[in-house]
Amino acid sequence: MIREKNMSVDNEKNPVLGIDLGTTFSAIARWDGREPRTYQTKGGGDTLQSVVYYDPKKTEFLVGKLAYRRGLLYPENMALGIKRKIDDASQKIEVGGQQFSPVELSSKILERLYSDVAEKFPQGQFESRGTVVTVPYYFKAHQCENTRQAAEAANINCIGILQEPIAASLSYAWQLVQDHPEREVSENILVFDLGGGTFDLTLFELKQTKEKLLFEVMATGGNDRLGGMDFDESLVQLFLRKGDITLDGLSETNKRKPRQKLIESAVNTKVTLSSMESDYVTITDILPGKYIDTEINRAEFENSIQVYINKIEAIIEKLWVTANIKPTNIDRVILVGGSSKIPRFKSLLCDLIGEDKVYANTNPDLCVAQGAAMYAAYLDDREVFGREIEIRTRTCHGLGVETVQGKFKEIIPANRKTPCQNTQIFTNDADNAIQLDIKVYQGSAPLVKDNTLIGTLNIPGLPPKRRGELDIRVTFKVGEEQTLSVTVEVEGMRKSALLKYA
């Protein structure tokens, strides 16, 4: 069966978009009909600082570089690292004397990205046909859902949520197609995604044929609390030690301005040390009569972040075991995220895998947004690339239920190919229970309090039975698009639910 191609699409005024919503920087790109193109933000540059400033006097929001600059003067009015807080949509972040949820603040960043593009056209002439927003592969279900809600709050037509390493790999794969359209390729690709707040490690097998681009996830690892912000804090502590200064004893309010000065210098030093062996740091008026005037070399910086280097090395080592693969069997490494530019991490990967395999033709800051724009184009028109795109994923976290004493019983483990399903049989823990609550969790900790609640299935109307006499069959089924369906069967009664999971 064929369908008529829509020739009236305007990829300038009505494009499909991809947004990389980052912890420290964000980017937006469009598919122009031939390739992905990154938009420049209103303030110049291809990325937007993921910083929100709320001015209580004018009751207005600022986002980006200006927000950061104003925040250096009034740090109590500024929110940083919002992506790290998106796991709890109910928490309140105080900015400018007002309280906002991380979803509300994330929506301000997305809104600014979109409006920067829309304002390039006369009012009312720009409207995206659909937008894909990216998240770390290691995000749990509720973090993905909260990201989607942020897009909706920004009045963005979100047609998909895509994992960042898949977006980066799609950008790389399209370059392969452009360079060698007729070649059939099979490669093992490692995406090393180290951003401002999160670390994702994803191993793919990429197969390119004339008919299809196939991405099959082989293994994943990561930490959604590890990234450039931690390295900045390590440098801050190094500055304080070298300057023989302490902020201990100060109230949180009095700490804000000196800490912002220190963090700004730390960010600049981190960037400088990615290309230079040393940097001279001068920070005046940290406290009355206190200043820092010192030299920091790359070795000192690397030593200050050694605890994080160790964590990253451990995640990499675990990945080899999970995938049952040797580092030498990796064909290509794609670096993603600003912190992947730190020389220590590139040298680590070169030593493990080989310098010639670390791919330098993608921009670590932009390839995620570009890949997201490509995926949006594919969702909009499945024939846009002249071949099918298939993504085969694995479960990133274990899935299971709560049992007695708050224990977690895993039903589907992490790193299981999807689609998949498994059934476990349980029994009643109390006499004459007439209803059951089956609580479903995502995670791997032995106690449910350390995992994430996805949902609860209530089974009413049970026949009264003594403890241990009921057979409770619980079936988990994860679909190709990472949807989780849970079915509970008790005494001939059957209840199912489709739970949001990614």
Side-chain angles (χ1 to χ4, degrees):
M1 182 179 293
I2 60 174
R3 64 183 176 88
E4 183 180 358
K5 187 173 180 63
N6 184 1
M7 302 301 292
S8 63
V9 168
D10 187 336
N11 285 310
E12 287 282 343
K13 296 179 180 178
N14 306 113
V16 284
L17 303 174
I19 293 179
D20 174 12
L21 178 62
T23 310
T24 51
F25 287 90
S26 298
I28 182 169
R30 71 179 173 94
W31 176 257
D32 72 357
R34 297 176 301 278
E35 62 182 348
R37 292 186 179 273
T38 309
Y39 288 104
Q40 282 211 329
T41 62
K42 189 190 299 182
D46 294 320
T47 59
L48 176 77
Q49 277 188 274
S50 302
V51 179
V52 178
Y53 181 95
Y54 178 71
D55 188 334
K57 294 180 180 178
K58 298 182 179 179
T59 63
E60 69 176 7
F61 289 94
L62 300 174
V63 178
K65 186 185 295 185
L66 179 58
Y68 183 70
R69 292 296 178 194
R70 293 290 299 275
L72 293 176
L73 296 175
Y74 306 102
E76 67 276 10
N77 295 347
M78 177 173 62
L80 297 163
I82 300 161
K83 185 174 177 178
R84 279 193 168 183
K85 301 171 183 176
I86 199 116
D87 59 334
D88 183 3
S90 66
Q91 71 174 297
K92 295 300 179 183
I93 303 169
E94 186 166 323
V95 189
Q98 300 291 320
Q99 290 190 331
F100 304 96
S101 74
V103 170
E104 289 174 304
L105 294 176
S106 294
S107 74
K108 297 301 178 184
I109 299 170
L110 292 167
E111 192 176 78
R112 165 66 192 275
L113 284 166
Y114 189 89
S115 66
D116 274 6
V117 176
E119 288 172 11
K120 297 177 187 294
F121 299 85
Q123 186 173 2
Q125 288 194 15
F126 180 89
E127 184 177 0
S128 168
R129 303 198 305 277
T131 301
V132 166
V133 182
T134 63
V135 294
Y137 198 102
Y138 222 62
F139 257 22
K140 295 184 177 73
H142 65 297
Q143 292 169 302
C144 297
E145 179 59 22
N146 292 345
T147 302
R148 183 185 291 276
Q149 288 181 10
E152 291 173 356
N155 293 316
I156 287 173
N157 177 22
C158 182
I159 59 174
I161 296 291
L162 182 67
Q163 289 91 348
E164 290 160 9
I166 295 176
S169 294
L170 186 56
S171 180
Y172 165 73
W174 184 240
Q175 291 185 28
L176 281 184
V177 171
Q178 296 291 89
D179 294 340
H180 309 285
E182 301 300 317
R183 181 189 296 179
E184 296 205 350
V185 175
S186 179
E187 292 185 346
N188 294 326
I189 299 174
L190 180 68
V191 179
F192 182 92
D193 186 352
L194 185 58
T198 60
F199 173 54
D200 257 344
L201 195 66
T202 309
L203 179 61
F204 290 93
E205 182 181 15
L206 168 64
K207 291 183 179 179
Q208 174 191 327
T209 68
K210 295 177 182 178
E211 296 79 27
K212 179 183 290 189
L213 285 175
L214 170 63
F215 301 86
E216 181 162 359
V217 179
M218 300 167 67
T220 66
N223 187 326
D224 61 8
R225 291 291 188 278
L226 196 165
M229 293 175 66
D230 301 298
F231 310 151
D232 298 340
E233 181 61 31
S234 297
L235 271 174
V236 165
Q237 298 306 317
L238 179 59
F239 292 165
L240 290 172
R241 288 195 300 272
K242 297 196 75 167
D244 194 24
I245 297 173
T246 180
L247 302 183
D248 294 345
L250 296 179
S251 68
E252 288 303 312
T253 299
N254 290 333
K255 279 182 182 179
R256 283 173 177 166
K257 286 189 178 180
R259 274 193 56 79
Q260 284 307 125
K261 280 190 173 186
L262 288 160
I263 289 171
E264 183 181 27
S265 293
V267 171
N268 292 334
T269 296
K270 180 180 65 177
V271 172
T272 299
L273 292 177
S274 291
S275 57
M276 307 287 288
E277 287 294 330
S278 65
D279 185 33
Y280 209 84
V281 179
T282 301
I283 314 173
T284 59
D285 298 324
I286 294 176
L287 295 173
K290 297 286 186 179
Y291 64 91
I292 290 172
D293 189 27
T294 187
E295 186 177 18
I296 303 289
N297 61 50
R298 187 181 290 175
E300 288 178 298
F301 168 55
E302 292 176 355
N303 185 61
S304 75
I305 64 170
Q306 189 60 51
V307 62
Y308 301 109
I309 294 172
N310 293 342
K311 287 182 179 181
I312 287 170
E313 287 181 324
I315 292 170
I316 294 173
E317 288 301 317
K318 185 178 178 182
L319 187 85
W320 307 141
V321 175
T322 302
N324 192 25
I325 195 172
K326 295 179 180 178
T328 51
N329 291 334
I330 303 299
D331 297 299
R332 187 70 64 195
V333 179
I334 301 174
L335 300 178
V336 181
S339 295
S340 71
K341 300 173 186 176
I342 294 173
R344 180 67 180 84
F345 298 119
K346 186 173 181 179
S347 65
L348 169 65
L349 293 166
C350 288
D351 291 344
L352 280 172
I353 298 167
E355 185 173 357
D356 60 322
K357 296 180 179 180
V358 179
Y359 189 66
N361 285 6
T362 57
N363 186 320
D365 297 323
L366 305 179
C367 61
V368 170
Q370 291 169 347
M374 291 179 62
Y375 193 64
Y378 181 71
L379 293 179
D380 181 65
D381 179 1
R382 301 281 174 154
E383 299 172 13
V384 68
F385 301 126
R387 64 194 75 203
E388 179 187 355
I389 294 176
E390 182 178 353
I391 299 170
R392 297 178 185 171
T393 59
R394 288 176 180 258
T395 54
C396 193
H397 303 272
L399 296 161
V401 297
E402 181 180 8
T403 61
V404 292
Q405 298 177 336
K407 294 179 180 178
F408 176 67
K409 174 60 180 177
E410 188 176 70
I411 294 179
I412 292 182
N415 209 53
R416 178 68 62 84
K417 278 186 179 182
T418 59
C420 60
Q421 75 175 56
N422 192 28
T423 300
Q424 294 274 350
I425 299 177
F426 301 88
T427 191
N428 54 320
D429 183 53
D431 292 337
N432 302 320
I434 58 172
Q435 71 170 15
L436 286 172
D437 284 332
I438 307 295
K439 293 187 176 181
V440 179
Y441 285 84
Q442 182 179 3
S444 56
L447 298 177
V448 294
K449 68 181 181 65
D450 299 316
N451 295 324
T452 301
L453 178 65
I454 299 175
T456 302
L457 270 75
N458 177 258
I459 314 296
L462 296 175
K465 295 270 185 134
R466 296 179 60 182
R467 175 182 174 182
E469 289 187 354
L470 278 177
D471 281 348
I472 304 166
R473 296 175 61 88
V474 180
T475 300
F476 278 21
K477 184 176 181 179
V478 179
E480 289 181 354
E481 295 184 354
Q482 300 286 286
T483 53
L484 170 65
S485 64
V486 179
T487 301
V488 180
E489 295 178 89
V490 188
E491 293 286 313
M493 291 183 291
R494 177 187 177 98
K495 185 162 186 177
S496 298
L498 186 66
L499 303 179
K500 291 179 179 178
Y501 160 71

